[in-house]
Amino acid sequence: MIEIGKYNELRVLSKTEAGLNLTDGDKLVLLPYQYVPKGLEIGENVSVFVYIQKDGRLTGTTQKAYAEVGDFAFLKVVSDGDDGIFMDLGIDKDVYVPSKEQKRPMQKGYKYVVYLYLDENNDRLLASSKLQDFVEEEDFDFEEGDEVSLLITEETDLGFNAIINNTYIGLLYHNEVFDNIQVGEQRKGWIKKIRVEGKIDLTLQPSGYGHILDSKEMMLAELKKSGGVIELGDKSSPEEIYHRFQISKSAFKKTIGSLYKERLIMLSDDSIRLITDEDAE
């Protein structure tokens, strides 16, 4: 079965004046000659992105699309249309966003995170910036502490909303962000908390004992590289700590606390120092 708005592996059936006829054994898809890979012969298979032309014809392209149906993606508005706008999908076919599917009016030249879907009436490719209508809100396939992929969607008063694993939505609170992140950016993140009401809190730093073990090894290595002293301590700001180690202040305090209990470092408010053999004596 041919999936419109996605890549399909199809067989070359025949040649026409306009291009190659491809088939899945049931329907035909036209692959214009300008997109035919060199040396492709009848009977061979080719992967193409399939969409519907205005005349209703199924058409394929070997161009690389930025996203497929069912994906959230960060796309640029390239032109205005009747009661909507068009966004660049990376192929010759732009994707249409009706005005009613715009969370806020979308302007030419700007980029927005949208969800790609098919019009239920005619299977034409559409997109929407009303992301909340397309995310799953239950049956999460992760647990607290799991690593996930994030797509930053917008900044709010509380922090940054992000699509999780192309399926769910969660929130990165401002006090969990220590570097410059941008809407449309893809990041690795972790599930911090799944609330009773189904809301998901996110973090950009891993947590748990395994992470502390990794952080301890990193901290000891950094101390040795720095001559045994690092000018950061309990009174240092979260931003200073993240800039140096890419971990939160909470993880930093747990790490140095563990090293201190093992008598590997000495602590002050604004520095940590590696204990030497002379100190031990």
Side-chain angles (χ1 to χ4, degrees):
M1 178 180 176
I2 291 175
E3 294 186 279
I4 300 169
K6 294 188 176 185
Y7 282 92
N8 294 255
E9 189 79 12
L10 303 176
R11 180 172 56 85
V12 180
L13 182 65
S14 61
K15 295 182 179 181
T16 71
E17 291 185 1
L20 300 181
N21 278 328
L22 311 179
T23 184
D24 63 342
D26 181 21
K27 295 182 179 180
L28 293 180
V29 174
L30 176 68
L31 178 62
Y33 281 118
Q34 66 198 89
Y35 306 127
V36 175
K38 186 177 180 179
L40 184 65
E41 300 290 343
I42 291 176
E44 296 181 338
N45 288 351
V46 62
S47 178
V48 294
F49 184 91
V50 177
Y51 59 91
I52 295 180
Q53 294 279 25
K54 289 183 178 180
D55 61 6
R57 176 184 292 183
L58 287 175
T59 303
T61 178
T62 51
Q63 294 174 296
K64 178 60 178 175
Y66 295 141
E68 299 179 89
V69 164
D71 287 342
F72 294 89
F74 190 48
L75 304 178
K76 183 177 181 179
V77 178
V78 291
S79 63
D80 298 318
D82 296 334
D83 196 30
I85 54 89
F86 290 92
M87 306 188 84
D88 179 17
L89 192 56
I91 61 177
D92 286 346
K93 176 72 172 179
D94 296 328
V95 58
Y96 183 62
V97 186
S99 296
K100 66 179 182 179
E101 288 298 330
Q102 298 176 33
K103 184 176 180 180
R104 302 179 186 88
M106 301 166 76
Q107 300 177 17
K108 182 179 178 180
Y110 289 86
K111 298 183 76 173
Y112 304 86
V113 176
V114 294
Y115 179 81
L116 272 65
Y117 67 101
L118 293 180
D119 188 319
E120 60 183 14
N121 295 316
N122 53 30
D123 279 342
R124 284 196 167 88
L125 187 60
L126 299 176
S128 172
S129 62
K130 295 182 177 181
L131 309 183
Q132 197 66 48
D133 293 344
F134 300 95
V135 295
E136 298 290 337
E137 297 181 337
E138 55 186 15
D139 297 328
F140 303 128
D141 60 0
F142 46 68
E143 299 177 349
E144 292 180 5
D146 283 358
E147 180 180 321
V148 291
S149 63
L150 303 177
L151 172 62
I152 310 301
T153 63
E154 66 176 341
E155 185 174 6
T156 70
D157 292 339
L158 294 176
F160 291 87
N161 288 332
I163 297 297
I164 306 166
N165 292 347
N166 198 51
T167 306
Y168 311 97
I169 196 165
L171 177 65
L172 279 166
Y173 287 94
H174 280 303
N175 62 2
E176 290 286 340
V177 178
F178 305 107
D179 63 343
N180 184 32
I181 63 174
Q182 303 291 330
V183 172
E185 191 175 352
Q186 296 190 15
R187 285 285 190 117
K188 179 168 64 175
W190 284 264
I191 304 299
K192 183 177 182 181
K193 186 177 182 61
I194 301 174
R195 299 184 179 275
V196 175
E197 65 273 23
K199 303 294 185 181
I200 303 169
D201 296 345
L202 302 166
T203 178
L204 296 179
Q205 295 85 38
S207 59
Y209 185 66
H211 175 51
I212 298 304
L213 289 178
D214 292 339
S215 298
K216 284 167 59 178
E217 294 299 320
M218 176 270 294
M219 194 74 66
L220 289 172
E222 286 294 313
L223 278 164
K224 292 174 183 177
K225 284 170 54 179
S226 303
V229 179
I230 292 177
E231 301 297 331
L232 289 172
D234 192 55
K235 299 297 184 181
S236 300
S237 70
E239 291 75 19
E240 291 175 306
I241 291 168
Y242 188 86
H243 180 73
R244 179 66 186 269
F245 298 115
Q246 284 72 58
I247 61 175
S248 67
K249 185 169 183 177
S250 174
F252 173 77
K253 291 175 70 173
K254 289 178 182 178
T255 300
I256 62 175
S258 180
L259 291 172
Y260 178 76
K261 288 179 182 179
E262 295 177 31
R263 298 184 179 180
L264 295 174
I265 62 171
M266 299 178 68
L267 301 175
S268 71
D269 287 345
D270 54 13
S271 70
I272 54 178
R273 184 164 70 87
L274 193 63
I275 292 179
T276 64
D277 292 338
E278 293 180 359
D279 293 322
E281 292 175 1

